[in-house]
């Protein structure tokens, strides 16, 4: 078995597992027992693939950026998840999980959201499937992310502001888990990233793995080979990165670079760079790396990008970085901003602030002329317009 796949107990190396309250153990186990059989079935695959094609707009293009290639002295392809319906990769996972929930006979969906992107994706698929949807969101985030809150409500979802803790993403996760505990039989918890108790990290990675499946096929057409020299993706909880690397993990010649949010700098403490600053701990149902103090209290993370400021990281990513299969690279706010304005001017593509961290990583790598690089553009930048306008005077000549 591949050392990068989840084992029977739900671990990637010694990260992962199931750390949930006793009342939830039966639901998590029921999901763990049936998910592979359902998502590998012909019936599921057909419905999932048809929706990805006709509703999401897949396959997403693999675009050779001539200007970025020239700038970095190699070949740089952008995997265009920004062109998906709802503007990011999150819809791939939301569609897959709602189809799974229906096949498990669930009647109600709950989800957590930070920046609101996963909440919007979940509310979207609940509208599509006509299922009631409750989205938990920290009260601070409800204030900061008004447009996404309005979108979710328009789609018919109930958005519940969470008043506990720092009123941000981790508090929203806790509340969603609490709801699931209260309604374990009819409710499905639709997690937004490769985190949480087993089987979620593996389940979400598989739902996003369509990204790497397409990259292999597209590279073969364009380059005559299925594998690139580098894969680059940004990482919050880890889902777009997991999707990008899934079908390449055993190709050890493919270098994997994970760009995490350095914030104002890892050494300043105002950071969300969990792979650099985190230590081992348990958060939201699994053992992974966590930004925490000596007493195990989670430290509130910081990043200019709302989608990356999560204090944890998926167990798969903790495992591949700690074992040397992947390299983590913290990219600070100013580096991400500069890279976003750069792509906008060079290619006419305004990336999401999250994806801009992956673009920032290009400036820290040394390429050979023959290198082929695939970078996943996880989302589009419309949602970040206010931030881009605010900082434009410091970056745009
Ligand atoms: C949510 C989000 C991310 C971060 O989440 P991952 O699970 O790490 O992929 C990155 N990019 C965009 C556009 C997002 O919306």
């Amino acid at each position: 078995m591949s050392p990068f796949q989840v084992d029977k107990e739900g671990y990637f190396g010694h990260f992962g597992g199931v750390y949930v309250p006793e009342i939830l153990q039966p639901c998590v186990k029921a999901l763990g027992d049936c998910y592979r059989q359902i998502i590998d079935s012909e019936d599921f695959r057909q419905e999932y693939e048809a929706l990805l094609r006709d509703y999401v707009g897949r396959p997403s293009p693999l675009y050779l950026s001539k200007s970025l290639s020239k700038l970095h002295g190699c070949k740089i392809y952008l995997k265009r998840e920004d062109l998906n319906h709802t503007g990011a990769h999150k819809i791939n996972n939301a569609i897959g999980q709602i189809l799974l929930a229906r096949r498990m006979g669930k009647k109600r969906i709950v989800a957590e959201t930070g920046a609101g992107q996963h909440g919007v994706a979940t509310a979207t698929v609940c509208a599509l499937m006509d299922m009631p949807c409750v989205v938990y969101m920290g009260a601070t985030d409800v204030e900061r992310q008004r447009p996404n809150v309005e979108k979710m409500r328009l789609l018919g979802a109930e958005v519940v502001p969470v008043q506990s803790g720092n009123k941000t993403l981790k508090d929203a996760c806790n509340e969603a888990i609490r709801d699931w505990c209260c309604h374990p039989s009819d409710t499905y918890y639709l997690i937004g990233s490769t985190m949480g108790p087993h089987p979620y990290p593996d389940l979400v990675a598989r739902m996003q793995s369509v990204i790497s499946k397409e990259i292999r096929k597209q590279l073969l057409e364009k380059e005559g080979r299925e594998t690139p020299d580098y894969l680059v993706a940004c990482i919050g909880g880890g889902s777009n990165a997991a999707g990008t690397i899934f079908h390449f993990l055993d190709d050890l010649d493919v270098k994997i670079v994970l760009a995490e949010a350095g914030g104002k700098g890892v050494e300043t403490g105002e950071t969300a760079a969990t792979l650099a600053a985190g230590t081992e701990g348990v958060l939201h149902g699994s053992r992974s790396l966590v930004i925490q103090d000596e007493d195990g209290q989670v430290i509130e993370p910081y990043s200019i990008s709302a989608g990356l400021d999560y204090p944890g990281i998926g167990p798969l990513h903790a495992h591949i970085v700690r074992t040397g299969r992947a390299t983590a690279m913290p990219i600070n706010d100013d580096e991400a901003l500069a890279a976003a304005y750069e792509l906008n001017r060079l290619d006419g593509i305004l990336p999401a602030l999250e994806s801009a961290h992956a673009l920032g990583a290009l400036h820290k790598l040394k390429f050979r002329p023959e290198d082929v690089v695939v970078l996943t553009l996880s989302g589009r930048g419309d949602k970040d317009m206010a931030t881009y306008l605010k900082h434009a005077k410091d970056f745009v000549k």
Side-chain angles (χ1 to χ4, degrees):
M1 199 189 81
S2 162
F4 309 115
Q5 294 293 331
V6 74
D7 68 20
K8 279 207 290 298
E9 276 73 48
Y11 283 85
F12 299 89
H14 66 281
F15 298 107
V18 179
Y19 296 81
V20 296
E22 210 164 327
I23 183 168
L24 267 190
Q25 281 176 6
C27 340
V28 176
K29 184 161 188 314
L31 182 63
D33 287 344
C34 74
Y35 81 109
R36 280 300 297 277
Q37 204 192 341
I38 294 177
I39 68 175
D40 293 340
S41 72
E42 191 51 37
D43 161 70
F44 178 94
R45 295 236 65 96
Q46 274 184 13
E47 192 176 1
Y48 176 58
E49 282 162 19
L51 282 169
L52 288 184
R53 185 184 65 231
D54 303 332
Y55 186 73
V56 177
R58 304 201 72 91
S60 65
L62 186 69
Y63 164 68
L64 174 64
S65 166
K66 294 212 175 87
S67 39
L68 278 185
S69 299
K70 193 166 155 218
L71 187 67
H72 294 285
C74 58
K75 263 190 177 168
I76 299 189
Y77 285 94
L78 301 178
K79 181 62 173 160
R80 301 288 310 274
E81 296 300 302
D82 59 315
L83 295 177
N84 293 342
H85 177 48
T86 68
H89 65 292
K90 288 204 172 71
I91 192 82
N92 305 326
N93 168 54
I95 292 221
Q97 284 198 60
I98 203 161
L99 295 180
L100 173 60
R102 289 213 310 181
R103 280 163 176 75
M104 291 176 73
K106 304 291 180 178
K107 301 279 181 265
R108 175 175 175 269
I109 300 291
V110 297
E112 83 296 339
T113 197
Q117 297 301 108
H118 173 57
V120 170
T122 305
T124 299
V125 299
C126 286
L128 177 69
M129 298 295 168
D130 194 21
M131 281 174 90
C133 176
V134 179
V135 178
Y136 290 94
M137 187 170 189
T140 307
D141 290 331
V142 170
E143 286 310 312
R144 287 195 288 203
Q145 312 289 341
R146 273 281 151 205
N148 278 338
V149 174
E150 307 297 337
K151 269 188 206 166
M152 288 185 267
R153 291 190 170 141
L154 269 182
L155 285 159
E158 181 189 347
V159 180
V160 180
V162 175
Q163 304 290 350
S164 57
N166 288 304
K167 308 178 187 180
T168 58
L169 179 58
K170 73 174 164 44
D171 313 295
C173 288
N174 288 335
E175 216 51 45
I177 291 176
R178 203 161 296 153
D179 180 313
W180 193 22
C181 283
C182 296
H183 311 92
S185 60
D186 72 336
T187 296
Y188 181 88
Y189 177 25
L190 206 160
I191 285 192
S193 190
T194 40
M195 43 175 262
H198 175 72
Y200 282 108
D202 183 55
L203 168 62
V204 176
R206 283 174 193 278
M207 298 291 91
Q208 294 291 358
S209 70
V210 61
I211 299 173
S212 50
K213 191 173 156 197
E214 289 173 6
I215 293 173
R216 289 193 84 99
K217 189 160 171 243
Q218 291 166 321
L219 270 185
L220 184 62
E221 281 163 15
K222 291 173 196 288
E223 290 292 325
R225 55 166 160 136
E226 286 184 29
T227 56
D229 298 288
Y230 287 86
L231 287 168
V232 185
C234 69
I235 177 162
S239 69
N240 88 87
T244 302
I245 65 180
F246 192 86
H247 291 291
F248 294 105
L249 281 165
D250 293 318
D251 294 300
L252 300 181
D253 293 340
V254 179
K255 298 176 201 65
I256 296 171
V257 178
L258 304 175
E260 55 177 356
K264 294 188 176 156
V266 175
E267 68 296 340
T268 67
E270 290 194 69
T271 184
T274 310
L275 291 163
T279 51
E280 281 187 36
V282 169
L283 181 67
H284 301 135
S286 60
R287 166 168 289 280
S288 189
L289 296 171
V290 183
I291 302 183
Q292 56 189 340
D293 65 18
E294 288 110 59
D295 302 325
Q297 291 297 314
V298 170
I299 298 171
E300 191 67 14
Y302 163 80
S303 162
I304 193 168
S305 151
L308 297 184
D309 69 355
Y310 176 62
I313 193 89
L316 162 67
H317 309 75
H319 174 58
I320 60 176
V321 167
R322 285 294 164 96
T323 55
R325 176 67 188 92
T327 306
M329 206 172 266
I331 303 299
N332 295 346
D333 290 356
D334 53 349
E335 296 165 324
L337 281 169
Y341 296 117
E342 181 180 77
L343 185 71
N344 192 38
R345 283 294 173 93
L346 287 178
D347 270 301
I349 299 171
L350 187 68
L353 262 171
E354 293 83 0
S355 323
H357 287 72
L359 293 161
L362 294 177
H363 289 280
K364 305 200 159 179
L365 293 163
K366 282 266 166 296
F367 300 109
R368 300 166 305 167
E370 65 274 23
D371 281 338
V372 171
V373 179
V374 175
L375 182 149
T376 295
L377 219 52
S378 54
R380 66 177 85 126
D382 310 33
K383 67 183 178 59
D384 300 312
M385 270 307 285
T387 308
Y388 286 141
L389 289 174
K390 182 171 155 202
H391 295 277
K393 61 180 184 319
D394 303 327
F395 289 90
V396 183
K397 282 169 262 324

